[in-house]
Amino acid sequence: MAHSSLAQCLGISRALRRPSGLSSQSLRRFTTSKRVCQRRKKDEVVEQDEQETGRRTRSVLEEDLDDVWEQLEESSEIQDSPSGGHMILQEQRQVLHYMRLIEHEMPKLVAYRKPFIPPTSSTPVILRSMHYQGEGHPAVAKRVIVVPVDQLPLNNETAIHKLKLLAGPRWTPNPPADAGVSRETEWGNGYVKISCEDFPRPSMNLKWASDTLDKLIAEANDSKDTFSDLPLDLRHVYAKALKAKKGDHLRNRALNRPSVKDFPKEWLPPVDSATPAPSEQAAS
């Protein structure tokens, strides 16, 4: 068995032996193996000694075996990085892309800067839109308008009642959660919310919602049929409050949510004249 193994090693070494016309330094592959590096360093020292003395210090068998072990111990040459490395590089390229946009393109947006003008009674309509930073999405074309009923050009209370009836579930006594209206704002006669996403372009959806609101106002101001004998249908209001499971469906909270202003003043403790007021204590 020993002779056959030795013969196989010699056969491999002859197959891997370098051509005589090329130098050993030009054919040696790069490696990080500690054993291979140590063996190469030892071989360089031995070759230098042989050149100085002109005598061979190793047998041909030892040289062949060194070449064999170098081929067996050296790791295979990697032609490309694994897929995980490519994924990391792609993430870094994407981050660098957006960093370059922030550095070079964002300052150009200053030319489109506009001062903030708070809405007035002449501009009561609140417009809401969505975008996904340039990515395609079906919700990008959707447009939603929210307007308080108290700021609409309605003639009288009868027109307000008729508008609520015509709006149906689009009317709510409280402002919608995504309307951008402050919670401290008085509810008044409620809010009307109209949304549209049936058309392919955002301008078309906004035009339809705006035209629908104009038709509601015009129909509510029409005094031919006032529908004053019909009560408001509040089933959608109580269904939403019941689904939220916050207790707003009890004791008419859906229409009149209690706040600090509803706290009975007679329940407050009497203020002693000898006790300084909180403002005086803070001043002292």
Side-chain angles (χ1 to χ4, degrees):
M1 294 295 295
H3 295 287
S4 60
S5 301
L6 182 59
Q8 292 178 359
C9 293
L10 290 176
I12 296 174
S13 65
R14 294 191 187 96
L16 299 176
R17 183 172 296 177
R18 299 182 297 270
S20 58
L22 299 177
S23 62
S24 61
Q25 297 295 333
S26 60
L27 289 178
R28 285 186 175 179
R29 294 181 293 178
F30 175 78
T31 181
T32 57
S33 176
K34 186 176 180 181
R35 294 182 179 179
V36 175
C37 292
Q38 291 178 354
R39 187 177 292 109
R40 285 182 179 179
K41 188 176 181 180
K42 182 179 179 181
D43 293 343
E44 291 176 359
V45 175
V46 173
E47 289 178 1
Q48 186 177 2
D49 294 341
E50 289 178 353
Q51 292 177 1
E52 292 178 356
T53 59
R55 294 176 56 187
R56 178 183 293 274
T57 58
R58 295 185 304 170
S59 63
V60 179
L61 180 60
E62 291 178 350
E63 293 181 357
D64 293 340
L65 288 177
D66 289 342
D67 293 338
V68 171
W69 287 116
E70 183 174 340
Q71 295 291 335
L72 294 177
E73 292 181 357
E74 188 175 1
S75 58
S76 60
E77 186 176 359
I78 299 175
Q79 300 293 339
D80 195 4
S81 61
S83 58
H86 282 285
M87 294 173 63
I88 295 174
L89 292 176
Q90 183 63 27
E91 292 180 358
Q92 293 179 356
R93 292 191 193 101
Q94 187 176 9
V95 172
L96 288 176
H97 170 69
Y98 285 108
M99 293 297 290
R100 292 189 185 99
L101 289 180
I102 294 173
E103 182 70 21
H104 302 290
E105 301 297 332
M106 287 295 183
K108 299 179 182 179
L109 299 178
V110 179
Y112 302 95
R113 182 184 298 170
K114 294 182 180 179
F116 172 73
I117 301 176
T120 60
S121 58
S122 60
T123 57
V125 180
I126 302 173
L127 172 63
R128 185 172 65 90
S129 61
M130 292 178 288
H131 61 90
Y132 291 83
Q133 301 296 334
E135 296 183 5
H137 195 277
V140 173
K142 183 178 180 180
R143 290 295 181 267
V144 183
I145 59 174
V146 179
V147 58
V149 178
D150 293 334
Q151 296 185 11
L152 291 176
L154 300 175
N155 296 334
N156 46 34
E157 294 293 332
T158 305
I160 294 175
H161 178 73
K162 186 176 180 181
L163 178 73
K164 294 178 182 179
L165 291 175
L166 294 175
R170 300 176 186 268
W171 171 84
T172 53
N174 55 337
D178 54 357
V181 182
S182 175
R183 295 182 179 180
E184 304 298 330
T185 306
E186 295 291 338
W187 292 0
N189 287 308
Y191 292 78
V192 175
K193 176 182 178 180
I194 302 176
S195 62
C196 181
E197 54 180 340
D198 297 335
F199 302 99
R201 296 185 179 180
S203 58
M204 300 170 67
N205 292 319
L206 179 60
K207 184 67 168 58
W208 184 92
S210 177
D211 293 345
T212 304
L213 180 61
D214 294 339
K215 293 177 183 179
L216 281 175
I217 296 173
E219 194 67 27
N221 289 327
D222 188 4
S223 59
K224 292 182 180 180
D225 195 349
T226 59
F227 301 104
S228 58
D229 55 338
L230 294 179
L232 285 176
D233 186 5
L234 301 177
R235 286 178 296 177
H236 64 284
V237 178
Y238 287 104
K240 185 177 180 180
L242 183 62
K243 186 177 180 180
K245 298 181 180 180
K246 295 183 179 180
D248 292 342
H249 61 287
L250 303 174
R251 292 181 288 277
N252 203 25
R253 291 183 185 177
L255 300 178
N256 298 299
R257 188 175 180 85
S259 62
V260 180
K261 299 179 182 178
D262 300 325
F263 190 83
K265 296 182 180 180
E266 59 270 14
W267 290 4
L268 296 174
V271 179
D272 190 1
S273 57
T275 305
S279 59
E280 298 179 357
Q281 292 179 358
S284 60

